[in-house]
Amino acid sequence: MSKESDRFVQIIKDSRHIVFFGGAGVSTESGIPDFRSVDGLYNQQYDFPPETILSHSFYRKNPEEFYRFYHNKMLFPDARPNTAHRMLARLEEAGRLDAVITQNIDGLHQAAGSKNVYELHGSVLRNYCEDCHAFYDLAYIMKSKDAPRCDKCGGPVKPDVVLYEEGLDQDTVNGAVTAIRQADVLIIGGTSLAVYPAAGLIDYFQGKHLIVINMSPTPRDRFADLCIQEPIGQVFAALEAGL
């Protein structure tokens, strides 16, 4: 165990109001690629950049092209929670962790057992008819060959994910802000903090310990009292062994 991981374990042991703010790096060990990694979406070639395809206007104009990309690059139905997901759920169950705030849309925190999860960018597990608001699960989207239509009214079915050009859900933001404000410890994990407005929520933290776990530097490193540049699964495995 590194000195940083050892200190991380001690801080967690001494704390009761912990909040975790995570990004794509949390799920890479579950086989879901980080958009901005060497092998991620942002380094591959497409007819349109991913930011364009995953935008509200592109979805409106080219729903079938949007869904072809979405099926191929955004859905990972076989992914399973990893050590970080499981340990966060365990901390919540033990009464140490108040909330998970995630930029991910994979639903793996809930699959691991976490209850109080704020999904800033929505979830691929939820899909709704834009006309009658009927709910459709991931399996329905997976079996749809083209842009899915509602079985009830024929309307377009849209994933409950926040696309570029769309705003965050205000109730989710308010809940996340309240959790961050009340936290004694804020763990930032697996995110470069490059996506706004989500990354700006960190400004509301007023607690004792700011911890950053990420393989590359982040803009918040200089404000943190502990920075760990190690795989997040490795850090949480150390926590599992140390508790």
mmCIF file of all heavy atoms in Angstrom, residues 41-63:
data_model
loop_
_atom_site.group_PDB
_atom_site.id
_atom_site.type_symbol
_atom_site.label_atom_id
_atom_site.label_comp_id
_atom_site.label_asym_id
_atom_site.label_seq_id
_atom_site.Cartn_x
_atom_site.Cartn_y
_atom_site.Cartn_z
ATOM 1 N N LEU A 41 -13.493 7.243 -27.376
ATOM 2 C CA LEU A 41 -14.225 7.788 -28.521
ATOM 3 C C LEU A 41 -13.561 9.005 -29.135
ATOM 4 O O LEU A 41 -13.610 9.212 -30.333
ATOM 5 C CB LEU A 41 -15.636 8.174 -28.083
ATOM 6 C CG LEU A 41 -16.555 7.041 -27.613
ATOM 7 C CD1 LEU A 41 -17.914 7.622 -27.265
ATOM 8 C CD2 LEU A 41 -16.706 5.994 -28.690
ATOM 9 N N TYR A 42 -12.942 9.821 -28.300
ATOM 10 C CA TYR A 42 -12.415 11.089 -28.791
ATOM 11 C C TYR A 42 -11.121 10.910 -29.581
ATOM 12 O O TYR A 42 -10.581 11.864 -30.091
ATOM 13 C CB TYR A 42 -12.216 12.064 -27.631
ATOM 14 C CG TYR A 42 -13.539 12.629 -27.158
ATOM 15 C CD1 TYR A 42 -14.385 11.878 -26.374
ATOM 16 C CD2 TYR A 42 -13.955 13.894 -27.540
ATOM 17 C CE1 TYR A 42 -15.611 12.378 -25.966
ATOM 18 C CE2 TYR A 42 -15.167 14.406 -27.139
ATOM 19 C CZ TYR A 42 -15.993 13.647 -26.350
ATOM 20 O OH TYR A 42 -17.210 14.134 -25.953
ATOM 21 N N ASN A 43 -10.615 9.681 -29.672
ATOM 22 C CA ASN A 43 -9.419 9.423 -30.466
ATOM 23 C C ASN A 43 -9.712 8.498 -31.640
ATOM 24 O O ASN A 43 -8.800 7.980 -32.262
ATOM 25 C CB ASN A 43 -8.330 8.826 -29.577
ATOM 26 C CG ASN A 43 -7.742 9.860 -28.641
ATOM 27 O OD1 ASN A 43 -6.886 10.644 -29.030
ATOM 28 N ND2 ASN A 43 -8.216 9.881 -27.407
ATOM 29 N N GLN A 44 -10.968 8.274 -31.929
ATOM 30 C CA GLN A 44 -11.347 7.468 -33.074
ATOM 31 C C GLN A 44 -11.934 8.372 -34.161
ATOM 32 O O GLN A 44 -12.313 9.500 -33.903
ATOM 33 C CB GLN A 44 -12.359 6.402 -32.653
ATOM 34 C CG GLN A 44 -11.793 5.437 -31.606
ATOM 35 C CD GLN A 44 -12.802 4.390 -31.199
ATOM 36 O OE1 GLN A 44 -13.679 4.043 -31.982
ATOM 37 N NE2 GLN A 44 -12.674 3.881 -29.993
ATOM 38 N N GLN A 45 -11.997 7.837 -35.354
ATOM 39 C CA GLN A 45 -12.446 8.632 -36.498
ATOM 40 C C GLN A 45 -13.868 8.247 -36.910
ATOM 41 O O GLN A 45 -14.167 7.070 -37.097
ATOM 42 C CB GLN A 45 -11.486 8.434 -37.683
ATOM 43 C CG GLN A 45 -10.069 8.884 -37.402
ATOM 44 C CD GLN A 45 -9.991 10.363 -37.086
ATOM 45 O OE1 GLN A 45 -10.610 11.189 -37.764
ATOM 46 N NE2 GLN A 45 -9.232 10.708 -36.057
ATOM 47 N N TYR A 46 -14.717 9.233 -37.041
ATOM 48 C CA TYR A 46 -16.093 9.029 -37.479
ATOM 49 C C TYR A 46 -16.425 10.107 -38.499
ATOM 50 O O TYR A 46 -15.697 11.072 -38.665
ATOM 51 C CB TYR A 46 -17.067 9.101 -36.301
ATOM 52 C CG TYR A 46 -16.781 8.066 -35.233
ATOM 53 C CD1 TYR A 46 -15.986 8.386 -34.126
ATOM 54 C CD2 TYR A 46 -17.281 6.779 -35.336
ATOM 55 C CE1 TYR A 46 -15.701 7.438 -33.163
ATOM 56 C CE2 TYR A 46 -17.006 5.825 -34.375
ATOM 57 C CZ TYR A 46 -16.216 6.162 -33.284
ATOM 58 O OH TYR A 46 -15.931 5.218 -32.340
ATOM 59 N N ASP A 47 -17.573 9.949 -39.166
ATOM 60 C CA ASP A 47 -18.001 10.966 -40.116
ATOM 61 C C ASP A 47 -18.266 12.292 -39.415
ATOM 62 O O ASP A 47 -18.118 13.362 -40.007
ATOM 63 C CB ASP A 47 -19.271 10.508 -40.843
ATOM 64 C CG ASP A 47 -18.998 9.345 -41.792
ATOM 65 O OD1 ASP A 47 -17.822 9.182 -42.169
ATOM 66 O OD2 ASP A 47 -19.941 8.622 -42.138
ATOM 67 N N PHE A 48 -18.670 12.207 -38.149
ATOM 68 C CA PHE A 48 -18.883 13.397 -37.323
ATOM 69 C C PHE A 48 -18.170 13.191 -35.989
ATOM 70 O O PHE A 48 -18.043 12.060 -35.523
ATOM 71 C CB PHE A 48 -20.382 13.620 -37.064
ATOM 72 C CG PHE A 48 -21.202 13.828 -38.303
ATOM 73 C CD1 PHE A 48 -21.821 12.758 -38.926
ATOM 74 C CD2 PHE A 48 -21.367 15.098 -38.842
ATOM 75 C CE1 PHE A 48 -22.592 12.931 -40.068
ATOM 76 C CE2 PHE A 48 -22.126 15.291 -39.983
ATOM 77 C CZ PHE A 48 -22.734 14.206 -40.599
ATOM 78 N N PRO A 49 -17.716 14.265 -35.370
ATOM 79 C CA PRO A 49 -17.114 14.129 -34.039
ATOM 80 C C PRO A 49 -18.151 13.625 -33.036
ATOM 81 O O PRO A 49 -19.351 13.906 -33.186
ATOM 82 C CB PRO A 49 -16.684 15.560 -33.692
ATOM 83 C CG PRO A 49 -16.674 16.298 -34.985
ATOM 84 C CD PRO A 49 -17.704 15.650 -35.857
ATOM 85 N N PRO A 50 -17.733 12.870 -32.010
ATOM 86 C CA PRO A 50 -18.681 12.379 -31.012
ATOM 87 C C PRO A 50 -19.513 13.485 -30.375
ATOM 88 O O PRO A 50 -20.701 13.295 -30.117
ATOM 89 C CB PRO A 50 -17.777 11.704 -29.982
ATOM 90 C CG PRO A 50 -16.600 11.256 -30.776
ATOM 91 C CD PRO A 50 -16.372 12.333 -31.788
ATOM 92 N N GLU A 51 -18.888 14.649 -30.125
ATOM 93 C CA GLU A 51 -19.651 15.748 -29.523
ATOM 94 C C GLU A 51 -20.813 16.182 -30.408
ATOM 95 O O GLU A 51 -21.860 16.596 -29.911
ATOM 96 C CB GLU A 51 -18.744 16.957 -29.259
ATOM 97 C CG GLU A 51 -17.651 16.733 -28.245
ATOM 98 C CD GLU A 51 -16.332 16.373 -28.898
ATOM 99 O OE1 GLU A 51 -16.346 15.813 -30.024
ATOM 100 O OE2 GLU A 51 -15.289 16.633 -28.282
ATOM 101 N N THR A 52 -20.607 16.091 -31.719
ATOM 102 C CA THR A 52 -21.677 16.458 -32.653
ATOM 103 C C THR A 52 -22.777 15.411 -32.649
ATOM 104 O O THR A 52 -23.970 15.731 -32.560
ATOM 105 C CB THR A 52 -21.110 16.611 -34.078
ATOM 106 O OG1 THR A 52 -20.142 17.669 -34.088
ATOM 107 C CG2 THR A 52 -22.222 16.938 -35.068
ATOM 108 N N ILE A 53 -22.387 14.141 -32.734
ATOM 109 C CA ILE A 53 -23.371 13.059 -32.771
ATOM 110 C C ILE A 53 -24.189 13.020 -31.484
ATOM 111 O O ILE A 53 -25.397 12.753 -31.504
ATOM 112 C CB ILE A 53 -22.674 11.710 -33.005
ATOM 113 C CG1 ILE A 53 -21.926 11.722 -34.340
ATOM 114 C CG2 ILE A 53 -23.687 10.562 -32.976
ATOM 115 C CD1 ILE A 53 -21.078 10.482 -34.583
ATOM 116 N N LEU A 54 -23.533 13.298 -30.351
ATOM 117 C CA LEU A 54 -24.205 13.230 -29.054
ATOM 118 C C LEU A 54 -24.819 14.566 -28.654
ATOM 119 O O LEU A 54 -25.014 14.837 -27.468
ATOM 120 C CB LEU A 54 -23.213 12.773 -27.982
ATOM 121 C CG LEU A 54 -22.667 11.354 -28.172
ATOM 122 C CD1 LEU A 54 -21.591 11.057 -27.145
ATOM 123 C CD2 LEU A 54 -23.793 10.327 -28.099
ATOM 124 N N SER A 55 -25.166 15.376 -29.629
ATOM 125 C CA SER A 55 -25.790 16.668 -29.345
ATOM 126 C C SER A 55 -27.300 16.585 -29.579
ATOM 127 O O SER A 55 -27.791 15.735 -30.329
ATOM 128 C CB SER A 55 -25.203 17.762 -30.240
ATOM 129 O OG SER A 55 -25.559 17.555 -31.604
ATOM 130 N N HIS A 56 -28.021 17.479 -28.942
ATOM 131 C CA HIS A 56 -29.472 17.533 -29.070
ATOM 132 C C HIS A 56 -29.885 17.801 -30.521
ATOM 133 O O HIS A 56 -30.792 17.144 -31.046
ATOM 134 C CB HIS A 56 -30.027 18.625 -28.160
ATOM 135 C CG HIS A 56 -31.508 18.794 -28.244
ATOM 136 N ND1 HIS A 56 -32.387 18.026 -27.510
ATOM 137 C CD2 HIS A 56 -32.277 19.627 -28.996
ATOM 138 C CE1 HIS A 56 -33.627 18.388 -27.800
ATOM 139 N NE2 HIS A 56 -33.586 19.351 -28.691
ATOM 140 N N SER A 57 -29.210 18.730 -31.173
ATOM 141 C CA SER A 57 -29.589 19.091 -32.537
ATOM 142 C C SER A 57 -29.332 17.941 -33.507
ATOM 143 O O SER A 57 -30.128 17.695 -34.427
ATOM 144 C CB SER A 57 -28.849 20.351 -32.989
ATOM 145 O OG SER A 57 -27.450 20.193 -32.875
ATOM 146 N N PHE A 58 -28.232 17.208 -33.323
ATOM 147 C CA PHE A 58 -27.950 16.069 -34.201
ATOM 148 C C PHE A 58 -28.988 14.967 -33.986
ATOM 149 O O PHE A 58 -29.472 14.362 -34.955
ATOM 150 C CB PHE A 58 -26.543 15.519 -33.941
ATOM 151 C CG PHE A 58 -26.087 14.508 -34.955
ATOM 152 C CD1 PHE A 58 -25.368 14.901 -36.070
ATOM 153 C CD2 PHE A 58 -26.392 13.164 -34.791
ATOM 154 C CE1 PHE A 58 -24.952 13.965 -37.014
ATOM 155 C CE2 PHE A 58 -25.984 12.222 -35.731
ATOM 156 C CZ PHE A 58 -25.267 12.620 -36.849
ATOM 157 N N TYR A 59 -29.342 14.728 -32.731
ATOM 158 C CA TYR A 59 -30.361 13.724 -32.421
ATOM 159 C C TYR A 59 -31.675 14.058 -33.125
ATOM 160 O O TYR A 59 -32.348 13.180 -33.663
ATOM 161 C CB TYR A 59 -30.567 13.633 -30.912
ATOM 162 C CG TYR A 59 -31.820 12.912 -30.496
ATOM 163 C CD1 TYR A 59 -31.898 11.533 -30.566
ATOM 164 C CD2 TYR A 59 -32.940 13.627 -30.056
ATOM 165 C CE1 TYR A 59 -33.066 10.852 -30.203
ATOM 166 C CE2 TYR A 59 -34.104 12.966 -29.689
ATOM 167 C CZ TYR A 59 -34.157 11.582 -29.765
ATOM 168 O OH TYR A 59 -35.320 10.938 -29.410
ATOM 169 N N ARG A 60 -32.025 15.338 -33.131
ATOM 170 C CA ARG A 60 -33.270 15.751 -33.785
ATOM 171 C C ARG A 60 -33.213 15.580 -35.302
ATOM 172 O O ARG A 60 -34.159 15.118 -35.932
ATOM 173 C CB ARG A 60 -33.554 17.223 -33.449
ATOM 174 C CG ARG A 60 -33.947 17.486 -32.010
ATOM 175 C CD ARG A 60 -35.288 16.877 -31.701
ATOM 176 N NE ARG A 60 -35.666 17.089 -30.311
ATOM 177 C CZ ARG A 60 -36.409 16.257 -29.617
ATOM 178 N NH1 ARG A 60 -36.832 15.135 -30.162
ATOM 179 N NH2 ARG A 60 -36.720 16.521 -28.359
ATOM 180 N N LYS A 61 -32.078 15.939 -35.878
ATOM 181 C CA LYS A 61 -31.967 15.930 -37.338
ATOM 182 C C LYS A 61 -31.647 14.543 -37.890
ATOM 183 O O LYS A 61 -32.058 14.209 -39.011
ATOM 184 C CB LYS A 61 -30.884 16.918 -37.778
ATOM 185 C CG LYS A 61 -31.209 18.379 -37.477
ATOM 186 C CD LYS A 61 -30.031 19.272 -37.852
ATOM 187 C CE LYS A 61 -30.298 20.725 -37.502
ATOM 188 N NZ LYS A 61 -29.122 21.591 -37.779
ATOM 189 N N ASN A 62 -30.890 13.757 -37.128
ATOM 190 C CA ASN A 62 -30.410 12.470 -37.634
ATOM 191 C C ASN A 62 -30.599 11.366 -36.596
ATOM 192 O O ASN A 62 -29.619 10.766 -36.130
ATOM 193 C CB ASN A 62 -28.924 12.562 -38.010
ATOM 194 C CG ASN A 62 -28.622 13.693 -38.956
ATOM 195 O OD1 ASN A 62 -28.822 13.569 -40.157
ATOM 196 N ND2 ASN A 62 -28.142 14.804 -38.420
ATOM 197 N N PRO A 63 -31.831 11.071 -36.191
ATOM 198 C CA PRO A 63 -32.041 10.112 -35.104
ATOM 199 C C PRO A 63 -31.496 8.717 -35.407
ATOM 200 O O PRO A 63 -30.967 8.056 -34.509
ATOM 201 C CB PRO A 63 -33.566 10.100 -34.925
ATOM 202 C CG PRO A 63 -34.122 10.633 -36.201
ATOM 203 C CD PRO A 63 -33.114 11.617 -36.706
#
